[in-house]
Structure formats: structure tokens, C-alpha cells
Amino acid sequence: MSRFLNEKYKALKEYVPGEQPKDMKYVKLNTNESPFPPSEGVVNAVNRENAELLRLYPDPDCSELCEKLAGLFGFEKENVFVSNGSDDILNFAFMAFCSDGETPVVFPDISYGFYKVYADLHKADYQQIPLKADFSICADDYVGVGKNVVIANPNAPTGLTLSLDEIERIVASNPENIVLIDEAYVDFGARSCIGLVPKYDNLIVVRTFSKSYSLAGARLGFAIASKEIIADLNKIKFSTNPYNINRISLIAGCRAIEENSYYMNNCKLIAKTRRRVTEELRRIGFEVLDSEANFIFARTAEMDGETLYLELKKRGVLVRHFTVERIKDFNRITIGTDDEMNVFLREVKTILGKA
Ligand code: PMP
């Protein structure tokens, strides 16, 4: 830290992303990326012609991509906001609706770690509501809470979901507050609440191209909400970095939406593999939460979470371990291809002497 850093940032604990190691080639099951490549149209968009256009700024309104997303979900383009990864949108939303303690915000104690970082960064008045003993979110804790609400559905790192009814009760009972539902993992089996947006002007649904659309490296996220909320997010974007999505990523996003069925089919394959791996781990004594995401959250009484993570890493399989006390026995395992998951299962069994 330099002696110049503003006082307000000195104690900030930044987000620690999952490892992206360069020392060897791993079976990489630690950051919930898709194991499948982007579709043909996306790959072909990264061509000479588009590269030469990089001398020009990208469209700051992201009109084409907003229109395509609006078309896909049945909205007008003014209901859509796209940004540099959904992290960017979460950042803007905390800034726009929760900063400086003006409106308190609540989110689960065990959820996507960035919520707390953004809350600290923007000096939000926040409260983390504990998950239930079974690691699920108690919807009633948020019904009529009278504060802004941020919930990942499915939740991360548990993979557990709230039903559409429970989400609607939370949104309907907090009409004077923003309810942000982070649907980063919704395409892998859960029900989206995007259909509630026309009914509730306090709901923001945040999505990403990083998981189901195989575009983590392109950094693209989007939000669907009332036109007024989208205008608020644009106000923040145009006050910080109007050109925050590069040309190639914008084109990639458009082509991906045109080839939507390829991605939705991949999601089905991932869900099928998830069910198989869940069953197999349970068969050898693991507790595996009922995930509807592209990852599972699992623990075994036979080995602590960190040791299992380290043993797997030694054998070239990377999973995600969190040191937070309540979940330190677990590992979060991204669902890869069937071949990758076979390597994972083989190594787990070897480590636990069950080969
Ligand atoms: N929300 C959740 C729940 C996530 O797990 C992630 C990915 N780590 C994000 C948002 C951010 O995704 P991205 O910025 O890649 O869109």
C-alpha cells in the first residue's frame, strides 16, 4: 500500500478470484467455466475484419446486443443493460442503490463473496443473513425485510435454489426496495424470475455469458429490469467508463444469442453429468447438496476439505476450497466434460482408498 491511498480504502479486503495457475495443465474444475467451446459463429467473429475495426471505439449503447437480448426474453431494448461481466453490473448496482449507507442491503452470509466486497467498497449499510442449517436460504428472512435484497439463485457456492414463488414473495413484499436476483447459474436447471420483471418495478435480474454461454474470457453480463432501473445503471456506466465492453466481445455476445440452442443444449449435458457425479459421490459416502448449477458442493467425513483439495491439486485436478469456517469441510467442484469428471472421480477414489 502506498502512503497516498485514500483513508476509506485502506481497510478494504478485496475479492480473491479462483486460482488460474500456469505451472501445469490441470483438469480445471475451480471457477465454474463451461467445458465446451463457444459456438461456431462466435469463434468466426474473432477474425481479421473485426480485429481491424478495433481502431474504432465500440458502441457505448451496445444497441445490437441489447436488442438481441430483448428479443430473446420478450422485452424492449430499454429493459436491458449489458456490461463487462456481471461483476460490473453488481458493482454498479451496489453503487447506484446501496452506497453510503443510504438504503440498507441484506444478502446471505454464505453466497457469492463479491457482494460483501462491493458493500464494503461502496460503504453500504449491510447485514448478512445466515443460511439455514441445511445451507438453504430461508425466504421468510427476506419477506418484508424493508431493505434492498441481493440473492444469487441458484446460490453459490451451494447450488441450492429458491422457488419462483419464494422469489416473488420477496420481491412483492419489499416494494420500496430493490431486489437483485443474480441468476449467473440459472440456465443449468433452475427457473428464472425474468418473467416477473414486467410486474415488479423493483426487481433486477442479473445474468452472465461466463457460464452457460462459454464466454468467461469475453467478460459479458446483462441485466433485465424496468426502464427506469436500467437508466440508473446507465447513469453510473456513463459516469465511469462508457466503452466498457470491447468490440469483439459485443460481436461474440450477438453471435452467441443467435446460436442460443447450442448453449442451452450444453447446459442440459452439464446437468446430466452433474446428476451422475452427484450420485457417484453419494455412493462413496459424500454429502452432496442438491445443486441446480454447473457445480456441486460436497464434503466427506473421511477427509477435511482442504486436504482433499490439496491432494486433488497434487494429482492435477483443481477444485475450489473456501476457508470460511462454516463451509471449510466442503469443496466446490465445477462440472466439466464426462471425461474430466471421470478423472476427478478416479482421483477422489484413489485418495480415499476406494479405487
Ligand atoms: N455472480 C455469481 C453468483 C458468480 O458466481 C459469478 C462468477 N464468479 C459472478 C456473478 C460474476 O460473473 P461474471 O463477472 O464472469 O459475469
Side-chain angles (χ1 to χ4, degrees):
M1 193 186 310
S2 82
R3 63 185 196 281
F4 308 106
L5 184 66
N6 279 2
E7 202 51 48
K8 66 176 177 177
Y9 297 129
K10 283 189 179 157
L12 188 65
K13 274 205 169 32
E14 61 268 43
Y15 179 72
V16 183
E19 302 164 85
Q20 306 287 355
K22 317 267 180 309
D23 58 332
M24 61 179 263
K25 198 164 165 19
Y26 288 91
V27 174
K28 195 168 174 303
L29 309 177
N30 71 327
T31 46
N32 299 340
E33 290 133 328
S34 174
F36 300 113
S39 53
E40 275 301 292
V42 171
V43 173
N44 292 334
V46 187
N47 60 19
R48 184 170 188 99
E49 189 187 345
N50 284 325
E52 283 176 355
L53 285 174
L54 286 174
R55 71 189 179 79
L56 300 172
Y57 282 110
D59 171 15
D61 296 318
C62 308
S63 298
E64 193 187 347
L65 185 52
C66 285
E67 267 163 30
K68 288 214 181 312
L69 286 163
L72 181 65
F73 294 106
F75 287 88
E76 291 177 52
K77 95 172 186 318
E78 292 76 17
N79 293 106
V80 184
F81 180 76
V82 295
S83 204
N84 192 309
S86 56
D87 282 339
D88 215 26
I89 303 176
L90 296 169
N91 181 32
F92 289 169
F94 271 91
M95 207 190 290
F97 307 115
C98 309
S99 56
D100 303 319
E102 197 177 296
T103 310
V105 58
V106 292
F107 45 87
D109 64 338
I110 300 199
S111 191
Y112 183 34
F114 233 138
Y115 303 152
K116 184 178 171 336
V117 177
Y118 289 132
D120 284 330
L121 175 65
H122 298 300
K123 303 278 173 223
D125 170 4
Y126 67 94
Q127 186 196 339
Q128 293 177 278
I129 299 184
L131 298 182
K132 292 198 276 192
D134 64 0
F135 299 98
S136 65
I137 291 172
C138 176
D140 285 336
D141 289 344
Y142 299 84
V143 171
V145 69
K147 297 173 179 176
N148 290 345
V149 173
V150 177
I151 288 177
N153 197 46
N155 195 16
T158 64
L160 299 173
T161 46
L162 289 175
S163 70
L164 195 52
D165 282 351
E166 287 172 311
I167 296 285
E168 182 160 12
R169 274 204 292 136
I170 294 168
V171 179
S173 63
N174 292 293
E176 299 309 318
N177 289 95
I178 291 285
V179 177
L180 185 154
I181 303 297
D182 179 349
E183 293 192 339
Y185 301 103
V186 80
D187 287 329
F188 302 97
R191 284 189 71 188
S192 171
C193 66
I194 280 184
L196 297 178
V197 167
K199 199 166 159 193
Y200 299 101
D201 71 355
N202 59 326
L203 172 63
I204 313 179
V205 186
V206 176
R207 292 278 194 100
T208 179
F209 282 78
S210 298
K211 324 289 177 183
S212 47
Y213 288 92
S214 304
L215 281 174
R219 311 302 301 127
L220 266 184
F222 63 98
I224 308 260
S226 71
K227 293 179 182 178
E228 292 74 16
I229 285 179
I230 297 302
D232 295 342
L233 294 174
N234 271 313
K235 189 191 252 303
I236 304 285
K237 167 177 148 169
F238 280 83
S239 305
T240 48
N241 183 3
Y243 302 114
N244 66 344
I245 309 184
N246 70 74
R247 277 178 168 271
I248 302 281
S249 294
L250 278 178
I251 298 166
C254 289
R255 296 298 93 84
I257 295 303
E258 287 163 8
E259 295 170 330
N260 200 48
S261 57
Y262 164 79
Y263 297 100
M264 293 307 113
N265 191 48
N266 286 347
C267 290
K268 288 200 187 103
L269 297 176
I270 289 167
K272 189 165 171 230
T273 306
R274 178 189 69 215
R275 287 191 287 274
R276 176 174 77 85
V277 176
T278 300
E279 268 170 36
E280 190 58 18
L281 285 178
R282 284 180 180 157
R283 201 181 62 74
I284 59 169
F286 274 81
E287 178 189 355
V288 187
L289 303 191
D290 275 324
S291 171
E292 291 200 272
N294 67 339
F295 56 82
I296 50 177
F297 204 46
R299 66 176 163 189
T300 171
E302 292 169 49
M303 188 172 276
D304 72 85
E306 188 173 18
T307 308
L308 181 57
Y309 151 74
L310 290 171
E311 287 297 320
L312 281 167
K313 188 171 177 183
K314 260 198 258 170
R315 292 167 164 79
V317 179
L318 208 55
V319 299
R320 185 92 192 253
H321 177 258
F322 298 92
T323 51
V324 177
E325 186 58 31
R326 206 175 152 197
I327 53 169
K328 70 180 186 359
D329 293 338
F330 284 85
N331 277 294
R332 192 195 67 192
I333 304 133
T334 304
I335 302 298
T337 59
D338 274 312
D339 285 350
E340 287 175 320
M341 298 323 284
N342 289 343
V343 173
F344 163 76
L345 287 167
R346 186 189 70 212
E347 296 304 334
V348 167
K349 288 177 192 168
T350 305
I351 292 164
L352 296 176
K354 298 186 180 211

